[in-house]
Amino acid sequence: MQINELFIWLIQFSPIIGGVVILCLTNHRKNLAPFIGSISVFISWIFSCWLLVSSIVEEGNLFISTQHEWFSAFNLNINIGVMSDGLTAMMCFVVTSVALLVEIFSKGYMEHEDGIARYYVFLSIFIFSMLGAVLAVNLLQVFIFWELMGLCSFLLIGFWFEKPQAVLAARKAFLITRLGDLGFVVALVVIWNAVGTLDISLINESAAQFSSVAIFVATFGLLCGAMGKSAQFPLHVWLPDAMEGPTPVSALIHAATMVAAGVFLIARFFPLFELSGDVQSIMLYIGLVTLLLTGFLGIASNDIKRVLAYSTVSQLGYMFVGLGLGAYVAAIFHLITHAFFKALLFLCSGSINHSTDTFDMRNMGGLYKLMPYTFLTFLIGSLALCGLFPFAGFWSKEAIIGVAYEKNVYVFSLLMLGVLLTSFYVFRALILTFFGKFRPSKSFTDKDMHVHESAPIMTVPLVILSIPAIFIGFIHFAHLFEEMLLHANPYLNDTHLEHHFHLFIPILSTFLIAGGAFIAYFLFYKNAMSNLKKLVNNSFLVKILDKRYYIDYFIEQVFVSRLLLQNLGNSLVYFDKNIIDKLVNGFGKSSLSIGRIFVRSFNGEIQFYSFVMIAGLLACQIIIFVVSYYILGS
């Protein structure tokens, strides 16, 4: 059966239909929410698989675009519809695959939560929003779902709204991503003004019609929006704090939805970025800075979720570097492989927390015996993240690093430093969490009596995710993958960027991974170099890392508290009190004064009323006489 428009609409709307059903049917049957949510996403996953297979059968040439008139104003006609190509087909498959496993995992992780129905409704809207952005046929449609994703992230990060930290984290994520979205709005207006349409295909087709100024502003605006969603420096500060939300939400945000949306947006409009070399260079350097800065932060964090969060930002830096180098295919390849192994790692951290009731790695240790399935799957995800052969991350990272070697040797060197940093913080997390002796916190009085492997409802999704974390990288050998992505953007100049395989790159990467692992082993397992470790822990560098380079301090204390709340706030208070209040109060006092005059005139005496009436009539006659005289006289 051929894929048609209805099937594509079902991919997008199945999750939101499930959310509506949850709202309608689970007032007294909250236990139905996980089942309904998972079934709705499963239906979406089935049709996504169908779409991907159809695209593969058509060798990437499958293109579906349907539009229906939405509204028309002045010379702007906005349609609503769906568009599917090779890029869309792969993104839909990745999003629905990860989302389905997150929904199933959440059944076990959130089983004791009172707001389980609310959680699944928010999750359904979130998935619907990401699929809507992926399948959108025009830029305005993308923007609507883009903002809806921001709202859902706010609701899910602040799911435990009784916790002040969760509320602050949700607010921070919402405001900072909105800051990036200002650039998106500017880009939307500039693009419409330049080509007179918001249709994605027509925009890419008309890329050559943009003036040099318009192409710079449009691409830089889109880049700002992508930086906000994908948490690139300096807008990266919201992502680590987003760990205050439920862990399955973190898996979804960090793997397949929110942060992936920024990279997808750039990939979707890559023909525009190809024509703006300056913006591509900016994107390259932003990716490099983000990759290294957050890599160092991952070393200094003791919260396992925050380590993974910094790892996500760092890996997104690799994708931005790839796009900045013009390696469109390699960047999307890394986006796909990263989605699976990062979702696996976050769900593993959720499994650990569910058993130990902590995310602090200093209160873990020795869990490989107590949680063997979680340990094995976490190890697989870690090796994929490091980029060790033959795991998924190896193939996608090698593609980006190989292009960097051929295009810019300095970028190549910094990317290899990123490999070493990744290996060190990953193996540090592995050792502190799973090896050595169990180190429970003081509140954990029963020691390891309650530490046990998670239920199958949580471990089965881990095992399933570990399969693509091992094998999905082998699509590197299928040229069909590249063809599907290149057919998705037929207006590209030369983004394939075929690079020769350099054997020394994977060999060097393997040595760097092994080096990072051995450093972590000696420092945190053998406890060798204890004096050096104490010296390092008390160093100025570690203090800077602990304070996140004081970037959060500057944003929250200097920019928000002092500049906005104190200076701008005081100015607004002065304006409110001395201008607005006096103006409003003046109108009120004037009304009262006029009212007093009229009140005195109503004294209840008939003679006075008769006098006023006659005087009024005489005044009217005099006015009429005077006006008539001047009119007739003229």
Side-chain angles (χ1 to χ4, degrees), residues 436-503:
K437 294 181 180 179
F438 184 59
R439 306 173 297 274
S441 63
K442 294 179 181 179
S443 60
F444 201 90
T445 54
D446 294 333
K447 294 192 176 179
D448 59 347
M449 288 179 61
H450 294 162
V451 178
H452 54 80
E453 185 59 87
S454 300
I457 193 73
M458 296 170 68
T459 55
V460 169
L462 302 183
V463 173
I464 294 173
L465 280 170
S466 65
I467 297 172
I470 299 173
F471 296 110
I472 198 171
F474 286 98
I475 63 173
H476 176 75
F477 293 107
H479 292 292
L480 181 60
F481 169 76
E482 296 175 352
E483 292 298 323
M484 287 175 65
L485 289 181
L486 293 172
H487 280 302
N489 259 328
Y491 312 108
L492 299 175
N493 293 326
D494 184 19
T495 44
H496 194 182
L497 280 180
E498 284 279 3
H499 67 277
H500 301 94
F501 179 76
H502 303 280
L503 182 61

Side-chain angles (χ1 to χ4, degrees), residues 26 90 279 329 562 571:
T26 57
M90 282 186 287
V279 174
V329 172
R562 297 183 184 176
S571 301

Side-chain angles (χ1 to χ4, degrees), residues 311-597:
S311 166
T312 297
V313 182
S314 184
Q315 295 305 306
L316 288 165
Y318 273 101
M319 299 173 208
F320 271 70
V321 168
L323 292 168
L325 290 169
Y328 160 74
V329 172
I332 297 301
F333 186 23
H334 195 49
L335 173 66
I336 292 170
T337 60
H338 175 264
F340 288 105
F341 63 71
K342 187 50 62 68
L344 171 61
L345 289 169
F346 267 106
L347 294 185
C348 283
S349 72
S351 175
I352 294 166
N353 169 253
H354 193 260
S355 182
T356 62
D357 197 31
T358 183
F359 288 110
D360 194 331
M361 296 183 294
R362 293 170 297 184
N363 296 324
M364 298 178 188
L367 297 183
Y368 80 97
K369 294 179 181 177
L370 304 170
M371 306 181 71
Y373 291 107
T374 301
F375 164 66
L376 183 60
T377 51
F378 192 92
L379 177 63
I380 291 171
S382 298
L383 296 178
L385 173 58
C386 289
L388 188 67
F389 178 85
F391 296 90
F394 165 80
W395 305 102
S396 54
K397 269 190 181 180
E398 190 276 334
I400 295 173
I401 294 172
V403 172
Y405 175 72
E406 296 182 355
K407 300 281 286 186
N408 191 320
V409 68
Y410 299 107
V411 173
F412 166 76
S413 302
L414 293 175
L415 291 182
M416 299 310 290
L417 175 59
V419 172
L420 178 64
L421 290 175
T422 303
S423 173
F424 180 67
Y425 66 67
V426 164
F427 279 96
R428 172 178 176 266
L430 265 170
I431 291 167
L432 291 178
T433 304
F434 292 101
F435 295 95
K437 294 181 180 179
F438 184 59
R439 306 173 297 274
S441 63
K442 294 179 181 179
S443 60
F444 201 90
T445 54
D446 294 333
K447 294 192 176 179
D448 59 347
M449 288 179 61
H450 294 162
V451 178
H452 54 80
E453 185 59 87
S454 300
I457 193 73
M458 296 170 68
T459 55
V460 169
L462 302 183
V463 173
I464 294 173
L465 280 170
S466 65
I467 297 172
I470 299 173
F471 296 110
I472 198 171
F474 286 98
I475 63 173
H476 176 75
F477 293 107
H479 292 292
L480 181 60
F481 169 76
E482 296 175 352
E483 292 298 323
M484 287 175 65
L485 289 181
L486 293 172
H487 280 302
N489 259 328
Y491 312 108
L492 299 175
N493 293 326
D494 184 19
T495 44
H496 194 182
L497 280 180
E498 284 279 3
H499 67 277
H500 301 94
F501 179 76
H502 303 280
L503 182 61
F504 86 95
I505 293 179
I507 294 175
L508 178 59
S509 295
T510 303
F511 273 111
L512 290 174
I513 293 168
F518 277 116
I519 295 171
Y521 172 78
F522 280 112
L523 284 177
F524 300 102
Y525 185 75
K526 283 294 186 181
N527 204 26
M529 312 179 203
S530 57
N531 293 330
L532 175 62
K533 189 165 65 172
K534 290 177 182 178
L535 179 64
V536 169
N537 288 337
N538 294 322
S539 68
F540 180 66
L541 175 61
V542 170
K543 291 178 181 178
I544 291 178
L545 294 177
D546 188 54
K547 295 294 184 181
R548 307 184 202 177
Y549 307 110
Y550 291 93
I551 296 174
D552 291 72
Y553 175 83
F554 175 80
I555 292 175
E556 295 172 11
Q557 301 299 324
V558 178
F559 183 73
V560 176
S561 297
R562 297 183 184 176
L563 294 180
L564 293 184
L565 296 184
Q566 289 184 13
N567 297 341
L568 181 60
N570 291 338
S571 301
L572 292 175
V573 168
Y574 177 84
F575 180 77
D576 182 61
K577 285 184 177 180
N578 293 279
I579 298 177
I580 300 296
D581 285 355
K582 287 183 178 180
L583 188 64
V584 173
N585 293 336
F587 278 117
K589 290 176 181 179
S590 301
S591 301
L592 288 173
S593 300
I594 296 170
R596 288 192 191 98
I597 296 173

Side-chain angles (χ1 to χ4, degrees), residues 83 109 165 211 285 316 517:
M83 182 179 73
Y109 189 82
Q165 289 301 318
S211 66
Y285 294 122
L316 288 165

